[in-house]
Amino acid sequence: MKSVKEQRVAEDDAQPDPERAIELLWGTSEPERPGLSLGRIVAAAVEVADAEGLASLSMRKVAERFGTTTMSLYRYVPGKAELVELMRDAVYGEFPMGSSEGLGWRAGLERWARRAREMYDRHPWLVHSAGSRRLPGPNIMAGYDHALDVASRSGLAPAQVIAVVNLVGGFVESAARQAGEAADLQRRTGVTHERWWSERESLFERLDRYPALERLWKAGGMDAPLDAFEFGLRRTLDGIQALIQSQGSEVISDENGGGECVVCGKPLAGGGRGRPRDYCSRACQQRAYRRRQVQSV
């Protein structure tokens, strides 16, 4: 008979049955009834993961919240692997994007990224549930479709639009993972990230052999670190904007004439008549024309 530890390792290593997980994620929702239900099981599992982390989640702990046995949960969900898929989609449903009417590609992607970061902050375990073969449910797909829609307003080619959304989403996930690891260490040790590094004098005494590092340190480069998320998000969006400008892509404006200038990224005034505007000024229009002439040579 397996020990509790062996059972936990087996649960963590198990992969979801793809077809069963898809059926659970996309199947017809069951009506709410008193007592145990799939929705309540998922909500309880999210509470456990929020409080203790994904590694501590088990079918047994979820069952204990209902005062029942683990076996009773298997009537609703085959195991932990499928349960995690349902949990992921459930928390995405807490952050619906709503309408993006009137937003250009940059404002739309920034809004999507900040909403995703808020979701990771509320549910830190989510970054540990990621993977290349995680099955999306309807809530995850709705968020992804929203991001594709706003990114398409850049005028980039379809494959580039998908790559741009994956780039921004990957940055947010990476930033959330780093922040989550620092927060977890602080919670477990009671020592802040800043305090821990400030006490490493024995290490700092050995860093004078690295001239660039020493120069930047003495110049105050580490006194007030930039916010990693804010800095990284802006630079990521700047890179996408540079790509758009290099290709002379045209922003797909909304029906009211909104959007962003394809050259400088400034918001375009809506309400104009005739063809939607692509440039905020005559100067930007001329710069775009000269760029196309150079590219055609």
Side-chain angles (χ1 to χ4, degrees), residues 239-260:
I240 296 168
Q241 186 166 320
L243 171 64
I244 295 168
Q245 293 174 357
S246 72
Q247 296 185 356
S249 303
E250 293 188 358
V251 170
I252 300 175
S253 304
D254 64 53
E255 61 183 8
N256 294 320
E260 298 174 353

Side-chain angles (χ1 to χ4, degrees), residues 170-186:
F171 161 73
V172 176
E173 182 182 314
S174 176
R177 185 183 300 275
Q178 293 178 47
E181 289 173 353
D184 183 59
L185 276 172
Q186 179 172 329

Side-chain angles (χ1 to χ4, degrees), residues 20-209:
R20 182 67 178 119
I22 291 170
E23 179 184 341
L24 288 167
L25 285 163
W26 293 88
T28 303
S29 300
E30 62 175 4
E32 283 296 327
R33 299 187 182 95
L36 207 58
S37 70
L38 182 59
R40 291 188 178 92
I41 291 170
V42 172
V46 169
E47 290 177 359
V48 172
D50 286 347
E52 304 179 34
L54 194 63
S56 296
L57 175 68
S58 67
M59 299 292 280
R60 178 183 59 81
K61 285 190 175 181
V62 176
E64 288 174 351
R65 296 212 163 203
F66 296 99
T68 187
T69 64
T70 302
M71 292 302 297
S72 64
L73 302 187
Y74 293 135
R75 294 170 48 205
Y76 300 89
V77 60
K80 178 179 174 179
E82 291 81 7
L83 180 57
V84 171
E85 301 294 340
L86 294 166
M87 292 163 57
R88 283 165 45 80
D89 198 62
V91 299
Y92 271 80
E94 297 174 6
F95 295 85
M97 291 303 302
S99 174
S100 63
E101 184 178 356
L103 293 180
W105 71 266
R106 180 161 185 147
L109 282 180
E110 180 176 349
R111 177 171 171 262
W112 176 67
R114 293 188 184 283
R115 192 68 61 89
R117 178 58 189 272
E118 184 182 351
M119 179 177 61
Y120 284 122
D121 287 344
R122 183 180 297 181
H123 304 288
W125 56 267
L126 192 59
V127 296
H128 303 296
S129 73
S132 60
R133 294 189 178 181
R134 286 298 187 186
L135 294 166
N139 291 321
I140 291 176
M141 287 305 300
Y144 187 53
D145 189 70
H146 175 94
L148 292 174
D149 177 52
V150 295
S152 296
R153 300 170 193 179
S154 65
L156 291 171
Q160 291 177 320
V161 168
I162 293 173
V164 158
V165 170
N166 292 341
L167 172 66
V168 176
F171 161 73
V172 176
E173 182 182 314
S174 176
R177 185 183 300 275
Q178 293 178 47
E181 289 173 353
D184 183 59
L185 276 172
Q186 179 172 329
R187 183 178 64 254
R188 289 191 287 109
T189 65
V191 178
T192 66
H193 190 68
E194 293 75 14
R195 177 186 164 189
W196 190 88
W197 278 107
S198 69
E199 294 175 349
R200 304 283 76 80
E201 293 183 6
S202 59
L203 172 64
F204 299 146
E205 291 170 355
R206 294 169 167 81
L207 298 184
D208 57 0
R209 69 189 72 175

Side-chain angles (χ1 to χ4, degrees), residues 266-287:
K266 291 181 179 179
L268 299 174
R273 300 190 324 182
R275 184 181 183 277
R277 297 172 57 197
D278 296 322
Y279 311 102
C280 66
S281 65
R282 180 67 176 171
C284 280
Q285 185 178 20
Q286 291 174 342
R287 282 198 292 272

